[in-house]
Amino acid sequence: MKKVLSMILCVSLCIMYALPVSAAEVMPKENVIEKEEVSAISGSNFFSRTLSKLSLINGTATFSSGSISGSEQFVTSLSLSVRVASGISPFILYIQAPDGTTNSVVITKSTTINLDDFNGCNPSGSWKIWSEPQGALLTATIRVTVYYDYSY
């Protein structure tokens, strides 16, 4: 009896593997919905640099974005956190994106400023920051954070 069942099982399996059946053969083509291919990957990220004790009398500093994600990037916002000693004179702080876009802000005290003038710029490359004193001042610590979106 075991031999007969084994033979039936063997023949059944051979027949089952020999008959190709796929969903495309079973379903009529008019009922098939084609899927559109989308291959874009996107996301958001940021990089941040701290410029410690930037001399504001003749201070010019450059910093690089480093290696950043994606083949297409664009800035979504930029944040400047400036820490200065109390009782300083106001000064103008300039920041320049790698593509040459430049913005300036007047600093009168320690503060955090969010800028949208760089939105759409490519963040990849060398950034530049410098100051123009409006009186006597010595140093400031500035933290620049650049937020960007990217896609592949």
Side-chain angles (χ1 to χ4, degrees):
M1 186 67 175
K2 287 184 181 179
K3 287 183 180 181
V4 173
L5 285 176
S6 294
M7 288 297 283
I8 293 172
L9 180 61
C10 183
V11 170
S12 297
L13 287 175
C14 288
I15 292 172
M16 202 166 47
Y17 288 124
L19 294 175
V21 177
S22 70
E25 293 173 349
V26 175
M27 186 178 293
K29 286 213 180 225
E30 60 270 2
N31 294 338
V32 176
I33 299 172
E34 297 293 327
K35 183 177 136 185
E36 191 172 313
E37 295 279 332
V38 177
S39 62
I41 297 174
S42 62
S44 297
N45 208 345
F46 71 94
F47 63 89
S48 187
R49 302 290 184 266
T50 300
L51 309 169
S52 297
K53 307 222 184 243
L54 177 67
S55 173
L56 295 176
I57 293 174
N58 61 355
T60 297
T62 58
F63 60 95
S64 174
S65 62
S67 176
I68 60 177
S69 305
S71 59
E72 295 181 28
Q73 310 98 4
F74 57 93
V75 174
T76 55
S77 67
L78 184 137
S79 175
L80 290 172
S81 179
V82 182
R83 189 174 56 213
V84 294
S86 61
I88 64 153
S89 300
F91 62 95
I92 302 171
L93 189 64
Y94 296 90
I95 186 162
Q96 185 177 44
D99 69 358
T101 302
T102 305
N103 189 3
S104 63
V105 293
V106 176
I107 306 293
T108 58
K109 61 181 180 178
S110 294
T111 187
T112 298
I113 301 168
N114 295 310
L115 302 173
D116 60 3
D117 293 355
F118 298 98
N119 293 5
C121 293
N122 187 334
S124 184
S126 184
W127 291 72
K128 183 177 176 183
I129 192 165
W130 70 96
S131 63
E132 183 182 301
Q134 304 297 299
L137 44 113
L138 301 171
T139 60
T141 300
I142 301 168
R143 181 171 184 84
V144 181
T145 305
V146 179
Y147 299 91
Y148 64 95
D149 286 348
Y150 63 90
S151 64
Y152 290 100

